[in-house]
Amino acid sequence: MHTNTDGEKPKPEQQERTTMDVLVEVRDLKKYFAITEGIIFERRIGYIKAVDGLSFQIKQGETLGLVGESGCGKTTAGHTILQLYRPTEGQVLFEGQDLSAMDGEELRRMRRRMMIIFQDPYASLDPRMKVEDLIGEPLEIHGVMHGKEKRERVKELLDIVGLNPYFIKRYAHELSGGQRQRIGVARALALNPDFIVCDEPVSALDVSIQAQILNLLERLQDEFNLTYLFIAHDLSVVRHISDRVAVMYLGKIMELAGWKEIYENPLHPYTKALVSAIPLPDPKMEKRRERIILSGSVPTPSNPPSGCVFHTRCPNKLGPQCTRHVPSLSDAGESHFVACHRLSRQ
């Protein structure tokens, strides 16, 4: 699944993936955080609706990109899918088993098959622990390996992610940003998971290092048949690694389609604005194209707009229909889903 020079993935492989089984299914997922006031007598005065009704599927071996502006709920969605946050409502099915209904030892056993790569490679690594302990900790916690066997597994993982095994005795502060993120990738691979949430894994890295980490993730996906939920705010990054892309705005999915459809034929006005903001390498084309500038600012998730949450910034709103009714995510053809009243009328 390596990226071609023009940024496109091999088409035969994408066709093959459409026949794969569904690994992760999210059904009407919601995660609300209570807003409280008072110290001694605390009372709830509202909710922050970080994730508000997400539904999608991820097939085995597929990469689903999840994009949107900062604060739209991408990271919260990833954490809730992994049950790091327990959902307020909805279901997360992993091979048909409802994770949201599990707890205790049952959920702990399932966690071995689901991992996360965090955004900040330094903040996510304990500065007091050596690389051997950072990568080997999941093996210890789940009772898989100990002692010499664990050490050899850590060396193997370092080699897999392109680091020298002698890094085993180093601390996180002795490594570069790219090396630290490779440690994070190795830790996520330690228990041979099936599904990995990549939470903006390259946003804190230099551009040249970003390409290396993306190529590493693609190689590992080919080698171990991994399934990714790739979270990012940079659409140009998501384009190179994703099979499909979901566009989020204020806790909801606005559009979901194959990556080529999203970039070449965006339907939702929000997606069109995001795509128009991607820089083009040709200065002449960049100068000629029309940039879509959205008016207003993103509403607060503690008091989202009624109806379509995007209607306060939408240049094509229909009036009462958009301000009063929530649009459903409807199929516009060829598995291209969009939540827009105007498109549903066509």
Side-chain angles (χ1 to χ4, degrees), residues 25 29 38 83 107 125 136 147 152 207 210 232 235 237 248 250 286 301 322 331 342:
E25 182 176 0
L29 187 67
Q83 305 302 300
L107 180 58
L125 301 177
E152 292 304 313
V207 174
Q210 287 183 10
L235 272 78
V237 170
M248 275 190 74
L250 214 61
E286 177 71 23
C322 291
D331 193 346
R342 181 178 289 275

Side-chain angles (χ1 to χ4, degrees), residues 114-133:
M114 306 174 295
M115 291 292 156
I116 185 169
I117 301 171
F118 292 99
Q119 175 178 351
D120 189 336
Y122 191 70
S124 63
L125 301 177
D126 191 330
R128 300 168 298 177
M129 297 174 69
K130 293 182 178 180
V131 168
E132 177 181 357
D133 301 314

Side-chain angles (χ1 to χ4, degrees), residues 132-145:
E132 177 181 357
D133 301 314
L134 289 169
I135 298 177
E137 188 174 32
L139 301 170
E140 292 273 3
I141 289 175
H142 289 273
V144 178
M145 296 179 185

Side-chain angles (χ1 to χ4, degrees), residues 236 239 263 275-290:
S236 59
R239 173 177 186 164
Y263 288 89
V275 172
S276 77
I278 301 174
L280 296 177
D282 187 334
K284 293 181 180 179
M285 292 181 64
E286 177 71 23
K287 190 174 182 179
R288 288 197 305 265
R289 75 166 176 172
E290 181 184 358

Side-chain angles (χ1 to χ4, degrees), residues 50 66-77 119 199-200 231-235 238 245-254 268-275 277 291-301 309-310 312-314:
L66 188 61
V67 301
E69 294 172 283
S70 296
C72 72
K74 305 183 302 294
T75 292
T76 301
Q119 175 178 351
D199 184 12
E200 303 201 40
I231 299 169
H233 62 267
D234 187 342
L235 272 78
V238 172
V245 178
V247 179
M248 275 190 74
Y249 182 82
L250 214 61
K252 296 181 180 292
I253 291 180
M254 299 288 103
H268 197 281
Y270 179 60
T271 309
K272 291 179 180 179
L274 292 181
V275 172
R291 176 76 187 276
I292 301 174
I293 307 296
L294 297 175
S295 61
S297 57
V298 181
T300 173
V309 292
F310 186 63
T312 58
R313 304 175 72 192
C314 183

Side-chain angles (χ1 to χ4, degrees), residues 62-335:
E62 180 186 38
T63 299
L64 175 67
L66 188 61
V67 301
E69 294 172 283
S70 296
C72 72
K74 305 183 302 294
T75 292
T76 301
H79 288 192
T80 307
I81 289 170
L82 294 178
Q83 305 302 300
L84 299 179
Y85 294 140
R86 301 297 274 181
T88 304
E89 291 183 25
Q91 293 178 301
V92 179
L93 305 182
F94 188 88
E95 289 188 338
Q97 300 182 67
D98 188 1
L99 299 179
S100 53
M102 296 181 184
D103 55 21
E105 184 61 28
E106 185 182 18
L107 180 58
R108 185 172 179 270
R109 287 196 302 269
M110 292 298 293
R111 288 195 192 280
R112 293 178 55 174
R113 303 181 61 190
M114 306 174 295
M115 291 292 156
I116 185 169
I117 301 171
F118 292 99
Q119 175 178 351
D120 189 336
Y122 191 70
S124 63
L125 301 177
D126 191 330
R128 300 168 298 177
M129 297 174 69
K130 293 182 178 180
V131 168
E132 177 181 357
D133 301 314
L134 289 169
I135 298 177
E137 188 174 32
L139 301 170
E140 292 273 3
I141 289 175
H142 289 273
V144 178
M145 296 179 185
H146 303 279
K148 185 178 180 180
E149 186 182 14
K150 183 194 76 172
R151 190 173 300 111
E152 292 304 313
R153 172 60 174 163
V154 171
K155 290 180 179 179
E156 178 189 9
L157 289 166
L158 286 172
D159 183 62
I160 288 172
V161 299
L163 293 177
N164 197 303
Y166 71 74
F167 278 37
I168 198 169
K169 294 301 180 184
R170 291 193 178 185
Y171 291 93
H173 72 271
E174 299 177 286
L175 307 175
S176 68
Q179 290 170 339
R180 286 195 290 263
Q181 194 59 293
R182 288 175 187 266
I183 298 298
V185 174
R187 183 171 60 178
L189 291 174
L191 294 170
N192 295 317
D194 298 299
F195 175 58
I196 298 179
V197 172
C198 305
D199 184 12
E200 303 201 40
V202 298
S203 62
L205 305 176
D206 294 338
V207 174
S208 59
I209 306 300
Q210 287 183 10
Q212 294 177 21
I213 298 300
L214 289 174
N215 288 336
L216 171 64
L217 291 173
E218 289 188 315
R219 177 175 64 80
L220 295 174
Q221 186 173 42
D222 284 343
E223 190 172 342
F224 299 109
N225 193 30
L226 296 171
T227 303
Y228 293 147
L229 174 64
F230 192 92
I231 299 169
H233 62 267
D234 187 342
L235 272 78
S236 59
V237 170
V238 172
R239 173 177 186 164
H240 289 292
I241 195 169
S242 301
D243 298 294
R244 292 184 300 136
V245 178
V247 179
M248 275 190 74
Y249 182 82
L250 214 61
K252 296 181 180 292
I253 291 180
M254 299 288 103
E255 192 164 356
L256 172 63
W259 73 268
K260 198 165 187 176
E261 275 288 296
I262 288 290
Y263 288 89
E264 296 183 3
N265 183 35
L267 298 179
H268 197 281
Y270 179 60
T271 309
K272 291 179 180 179
L274 292 181
V275 172
S276 77
I278 301 174
L280 296 177
D282 187 334
K284 293 181 180 179
M285 292 181 64
E286 177 71 23
K287 190 174 182 179
R288 288 197 305 265
R289 75 166 176 172
E290 181 184 358
R291 176 76 187 276
I292 301 174
I293 307 296
L294 297 175
S295 61
S297 57
V298 181
T300 173
S302 62
N303 185 27
S306 59
C308 175
V309 292
F310 186 63
H311 83 258
T312 58
R313 304 175 72 192
C314 183
N316 304 321
K317 66 181 178 183
L318 295 172
Q321 185 175 10
C322 291
T323 57
R324 297 175 185 173
H325 305 288
V326 179
S328 60
L329 196 63
S330 304
D331 193 346
E334 298 183 358
S335 298

